[in-house]
Amino acid sequence: MADKLTAGGRFRKALAENKPLQIVGTINAYHAMMATRVGHQAIYLSGGGVANASYGLPDLGMTSLNDVLEDVRRITNAVETPLLVDIDTGWGGAFNIARTVREMIKGGAAAVHIEDQVAQKRCGHRPNKEIVSLDEMVDRVKAAVDARTDDDFFIIARTDAFQQDGLNAAVERAQACLEAGADGIFAEAVHTLEDYRAFTDGIKGAHLLANITEFGATPLFNKQELADNGASMVLYPLSAFRAANKAALNVFEHLLHDGDQRAVVDSMQTRMELYDFLNYHDFEQKLDALFAEGKNK
């Protein structure tokens, strides 16, 4: 009997079987369960999403490794779908980055991406980002790769150099990160399909992640367009979170202004739909059996 794949192994398998692999943001364990049920092969935990949803903070490097790990564990305890995690800049120097990678593997993550912004980072689609030197980014990647306790754990190097220094500089960084051992490249805030093709050509067919986030610098390209221009992964980091936020705000406003939820109840997930995703009735039947057994004693 073959050994069971690790989380990293499941990620690599999904990547091999899906061209491109769509990776959807799941802000919590329940969203992860829904994404898994409808058929998604890989899921994502955004660092900005953790800051926003779990701590009510902006995406400005204000959360810690332990803050993110808490949400990682919640998700990986709920589903086996491979989870890609945003580890920002790694939360420190080489020792911190190494600890981050080891803790992510122990927490059940399948993959991470680490970026080349300075520690006081910004959202990748905001202006005035600052990036570290090429040498420092290479050292970050080496620290992450050397710390792996699972050879299949997938490490993606994210570069924000495109907006800062242009296409050629960003491709140069990507090449250096791959030479340092990265398994793939995350090209942030890319503008055109031609730019993705240039990245692909520059990294000689290595795995390329396209970040298709709403209201940012990158148009909402279709997955096939991206695949045709070299992307092997397409990330939708906060799509469901944004939709859920808009829906929640609508409910809050109707409750305040109308005094009831009648106008919005048709837009809600029903109790039975909630229970279905949670396998609620399986738990309830076990509980009923235990009570029945107790009564018969």
Side-chain angles (χ1 to χ4, degrees), residues 11 23 84 87 111-115 137 141 154-158 182-187 207-209 233:
F11 186 88
I23 308 172
L84 167 63
I87 61 169
V112 294
H113 65 75
I114 187 167
E115 66 195 55
M137 181 54 183
V141 172
F154 202 87
I155 294 174
I156 300 171
R158 168 178 146 175
D183 297 298
I185 296 298
F186 177 160
H207 287 295
L208 178 67
L209 182 147
M233 297 170 278

Side-chain angles (χ1 to χ4, degrees), residues 42-159:
I43 56 177
Y44 177 68
L45 184 63
S46 158
V50 171
N52 302 161
S54 295
Y55 295 93
L57 294 171
D59 183 19
L60 292 169
M62 299 165 70
T63 48
S64 69
L65 166 60
N66 286 335
D67 292 335
V68 176
L69 271 173
E70 184 65 35
D71 284 342
V72 169
R73 295 188 192 105
R74 289 171 175 169
I75 290 170
T76 58
N77 282 335
V79 299
E80 290 198 347
T81 311
L83 175 68
L84 167 63
V85 181
D86 176 3
I87 61 169
D88 290 341
T89 62
W91 293 290
F95 294 149
N96 303 75
I97 292 168
R99 176 171 177 256
T100 294
V101 168
R102 291 193 296 267
E103 292 294 333
M104 287 291 158
I105 294 172
K106 284 195 288 186
V112 294
H113 65 75
I114 187 167
E115 66 195 55
D116 58 1
Q117 286 198 50
V118 298
Q120 293 300 313
K121 58 153 290 174
R122 299 171 185 243
C123 167
H125 290 255
R126 296 293 300 159
N128 302 320
K129 295 183 294 186
E130 293 292 337
I131 57 177
V132 299
S133 69
L134 175 59
D135 287 344
E136 184 171 343
M137 181 54 183
V138 165
D139 286 344
R140 287 179 182 179
V141 172
K142 287 180 177 177
V145 170
D146 290 345
R148 275 194 291 217
T149 54
D150 169 19
D151 289 341
D152 283 336
F153 188 73
F154 202 87
I155 294 174
I156 300 171
R158 168 178 146 175
T159 179

Side-chain angles (χ1 to χ4, degrees), residues 159-219:
T159 179
D160 286 73
F162 180 84
Q163 276 187 326
Q164 189 82 357
D165 297 329
L167 176 63
N168 291 338
V171 170
E172 180 185 358
R173 281 183 175 243
Q175 292 167 338
C177 289
L178 290 169
E179 289 172 7
D183 297 298
I185 296 298
F186 177 160
E188 179 64 304
V190 171
H191 296 161
T192 68
L193 292 170
E194 290 75 20
D195 292 330
Y196 280 117
R197 173 51 61 188
F199 263 102
T200 302
D201 293 344
I203 62 177
K204 297 179 172 59
H207 287 295
L208 178 67
L209 182 147
N211 183 24
I212 306 302
T213 186
E214 303 81 16
F215 316 111
T218 306

Side-chain angles (χ1 to χ4, degrees), residues 256-275:
L256 184 64
H257 297 145
D258 301 346
D260 60 55
Q261 64 271 57
R262 293 171 190 165
V264 292
V265 75
D266 286 345
S267 67
M268 295 181 187
Q269 185 184 53
T270 67
R271 182 185 300 271
M272 294 308 295
E273 288 168 339
L274 172 72
Y275 287 176

